[in-house]
Structure formats: structure tokens, C-alpha cells
Amino acid sequence: MTSIKYDFKSCYDAYDFSHVDYEEINTDLEPTSFQEACEDILRDLLIKWGLEEAPKPKPVVLSDAMKLLITRSKKARKTLPITPKSIIFNKTNMSKHIDIELDTVQIFKSVYDMGKVLNTEMACREHLEKLRWNGEPICPHCGSQRENHYKIKGRTEEKFRYKCKDCRLPFTVTVGTIFEKSTVPLQKWFRAIFKFTTNKKGMSSYELMREIGVTQKTAWFMLSRIRNSVRCREDFEFDGITQVDETFVGGKNKNRSKGKKVDNTQGRSTKTKTPVFGMLNNGIVYTEVVENTEGDTLKSIINAKVKKGSTIVSDGWRGYTGLYKHYSHKVIQHNLGYFKKGSYHTNGIEGFWGQLKRGIIGVYHKTSDKHLHRYCDEFAYRYNIRTMSVGEQFNLTLINCDERLSYKRLIAKV
């Protein structure tokens, strides 16, 4: 039996739907709707069999405000398009006033003065709102900045809840900060931040536990969140005289018990110690935990952070060989007993390493390789703001506490 081949394309072009009596098929069906349905079915079959090309989808152009709202799981009222002053998809930046000044709120001289004024949840929220918003609440969802956002009244006025006039979503001053959804009162958070910022050698979780009355696990989590917030998140470039040096963080082999001694760990061994690279320029220090201190590792960081043509001051470590190609390289031969060449030296970065190691040995006693970079960021942050008063340091840290770190992410395996 011979198979019959059908030319569907020609049949489709020749067939006419005009002779169909639609009332006999369905009296309630409109002729146009039935005809369109038949045409859609035939078109889908022709596309499936490859006899007709599928129509190209029309691109849908969405406004920035629409893109922002459709990424949220919650539904918002259709009040688009909205025109806030700035729409930034990073909550940590959009929820802060563009012209933040540390002296817009009271500057405390001691933790005692801070405790007398900020002694209630309402007082803490007022201080934080004035510091972050300066009288103009900023919606962390869409970035709308208004003085007349709706204020939600509930059973208590201490939460200071608002509703955005543009995207219609509720928010508070703690949304997008380390205080969001935290069961720890703001009074305890503020006291922890004040002690963390002003203690030169740091503050252990056990000390904070006894200070504010929380568990050790909660205190460690709070300190880890603060360390994560104050880390260097801005891309920068050093210019001028930059001191560079590397150090190794870890216990000495001679201080270990007999059963824990490891052979060949003296000097620059990485068996039981972790290398940390640091740079100091004009009183600002930058640290980075590295895998090794080879030339490729160190010079890649220097090339990314130091402007070409600047002056690099280092010791005689071979990893810095070749910097003269792009920089004015000054070498201080410490192994020969020299610690200064004219006005060039590395005493500044060496002094910072002393503070870091004294803090780890005297306060924390031990740091794991996984969290060492957070402790380095903590000491670098305190070193960089050392010229400010304690009140300015406290207000600046409150502004920087704008990135929430979950406990699951904190303890996750690297």
C-alpha cells in the first residue's frame, strides 16, 4: 500500500473557513473566536512539523522599578511607575542617607554616657533613624526617600514601622542591617558595638557574654556579624609611599606540648601558620589572608591595589623582586641590621602586626583559618579609625552595620 503525502502548507493556504456555519456547531460561539482557534491549532501543527517558522517573541522592556518589584515574592499594589530618587538593588546602600554626617546625632564620650541616653528600645531606634535617614525615611525595597511615608500604628509605637508611599511595602530602620529579625534588644547591640569599636585589642565572646547577659554562642554570632560589616567593601587604589609586609599567624612550635609538636614549622612554614599580607599608606592599612607568600601572589595584590609609579617600601623578601618595573621600589635589608633608609621604613606596618598578634594572643588566644580574615578586618578597621573620638567611632560603626550575615552562612564549610 502506497503512503499518501499531504502538503499541509498548501492545504492551509487553500482552505477557507468562510463556508462554515458556526450556528450549527455552537450558537453561543462567535465566528471570529472559532476561526481564530482553528487557525491557532493549524499554526501550531505547522510549526511542530517544521513547515512554518515560529514567530519571534516580542521583547518586553521593564522599568527599573518594575524589575525591582517582580523580584520580590510578596505582591505589591500596582502603583507603577514610581520615581524614587535612586533605585539601587543593594539594600545596604539604598537604606542610608546620601549625606550622612556623624554629628547629626549625639556623640557620646563613653559607654556610660551612651547607656544613660540610649536606655530604651525607642531611644535606640530614634538614634539609628536620625543617623541613617536624617529625618527622611528611605524605603529599603525601592529606595524611595520621603518625609511623609505612612507610619503604621500598632499595639506598640517602639517598632517605628513605616509603609512606603511608592511600592506600598512595610519597612523599619533595621531592615537590611545586622539588627533585622534579631531577638537581641538594640540596647545590647549598641553596647556590644561600642565595646567592640573602642577596645583596642578586641573583645572576646565570653567577655561580651558576661557584659550584656547573653549566651556565648549568641555573643560570638553578634561579634562575627559586626566584623563582617566593618570589613573593607570599597574598591580603592593606594597612591604615594606604601609600606608592604607579610606575617604568619599561628603558635610557635616550642610552646606546644610534646604530643602536639610538628617538625619543621619554624620560620615561614605554613604547616601550622597562616600567612597574612598587609599594606599601609598614609595611615590606612589593608590586609588580606593569602595561601602563600610567593612573588606571583604578593605582586598580584600590589598591582591591583597600588597605583603604577608609586613608591613601594618592603623588606628583602624575594617575593617582592621585580617591583621596580612598575614602581619605585625601596628595599630595607632587615637581615643586615638596617631598619631605615633615609625617610623610608616599614615600621608602620610592623606596628600594626604587633597590635594584631597581641590581640589574638591576649584576647582571642586562637583563631581558625576559616575566620582569620574577619579578625584581620576587625583590627584593620579599628586601626583606620583610631584618630576619631570614641563617639564618632561608635556612630560610624552603626552606619556600617548594614550587611546581614546569617548563621548558616557563617558556619558553612568553605
Side-chain angles (χ1 to χ4, degrees), residues 316-332:
W317 173 241
R318 65 173 183 269
Y320 302 115
T321 304
L323 287 176
Y324 66 89
K325 297 179 182 178
H326 304 288
Y327 304 95
S328 175
H329 188 197
K330 306 296 181 180
V331 181
I332 311 298

Side-chain angles (χ1 to χ4, degrees), residues 172-195:
T172 65
V173 71
T174 59
V175 174
T177 67
I178 64 176
F179 316 116
E180 183 180 0
K181 296 182 181 180
S182 176
T183 57
V184 180
L186 284 181
Q187 300 98 297
K188 294 186 178 183
W189 269 110
F190 282 20
R191 191 175 186 88
I193 291 174
F194 202 103
K195 300 285 287 186

Side-chain angles (χ1 to χ4, degrees), residues 44-55:
D44 291 339
L45 290 175
L46 292 174
I47 292 172
K48 183 178 180 181
W49 292 326
L51 300 175
E52 185 176 334
E53 294 183 359

Side-chain angles (χ1 to χ4, degrees), residues 1-185:
M1 183 176 178
T2 307
S3 61
I4 301 175
K5 297 182 179 179
Y6 294 94
D7 187 1
F8 290 97
K9 189 172 183 180
S10 60
C11 292
Y12 175 74
D13 295 335
Y15 192 77
D16 186 13
F17 293 94
S18 60
H19 67 281
V20 178
D21 190 358
Y22 301 101
E23 295 182 355
E24 295 179 1
I25 300 173
N26 191 344
T27 57
D28 298 331
L29 189 67
E30 296 182 1
T32 55
S33 62
F34 179 78
Q35 182 176 350
E36 290 176 357
C38 294
E39 290 178 353
D40 291 339
I41 293 172
L42 285 176
R43 188 178 293 106
D44 291 339
L45 290 175
L46 292 174
I47 292 172
K48 183 178 180 181
W49 292 326
L51 300 175
E52 185 176 334
E53 294 183 359
K56 296 182 180 180
K58 296 181 180 180
V60 180
V61 181
L62 300 176
S63 62
D64 291 339
M66 177 67 81
K67 290 179 182 178
L68 178 66
L69 291 179
I70 62 178
T71 57
R72 295 187 51 81
S73 58
K74 297 181 181 179
K75 294 182 180 179
R77 295 185 183 180
K78 297 180 180 179
T79 58
L80 301 176
I82 61 176
T83 55
K85 289 185 178 180
S86 62
I87 293 184
I88 309 172
F89 289 90
N90 185 2
K91 280 186 179 181
T92 63
N93 291 331
M94 72 164 60
S95 59
K96 293 189 294 190
H97 196 275
I98 54 176
D99 298 321
I100 294 177
E101 296 292 341
L102 298 179
D103 56 356
T104 55
V105 294
Q106 184 176 354
I107 295 179
F108 306 104
K109 295 183 179 180
S110 66
V111 66
Y112 174 74
D113 294 337
M114 187 268 294
K116 284 197 308 180
V117 178
L118 305 181
N119 53 2
T120 62
E121 186 79 6
M122 185 180 296
C124 292
R125 284 187 176 268
E126 288 178 351
H127 183 86
L128 193 61
E129 283 187 4
K130 192 171 182 181
L131 185 63
R132 293 179 64 85
W133 294 343
N134 195 20
E136 297 180 351
I138 305 173
C139 176
H141 307 297
C142 67
S144 177
Q145 181 177 330
R146 290 173 176 261
E147 295 181 1
N148 57 347
H149 279 302
Y150 302 112
K151 197 165 185 179
I152 302 176
K153 294 183 179 180
R155 295 180 180 178
T156 175
E157 295 293 334
E158 294 183 355
K159 291 188 176 180
F160 286 86
R161 298 180 67 230
Y162 297 88
K163 183 177 180 181
C164 180
K165 274 199 170 184
D166 294 315
C167 66
R168 305 286 179 168
L169 295 176
F171 65 94
T172 65
V173 71
T174 59
V175 174
T177 67
I178 64 176
F179 316 116
E180 183 180 0
K181 296 182 181 180
S182 176
T183 57
V184 180

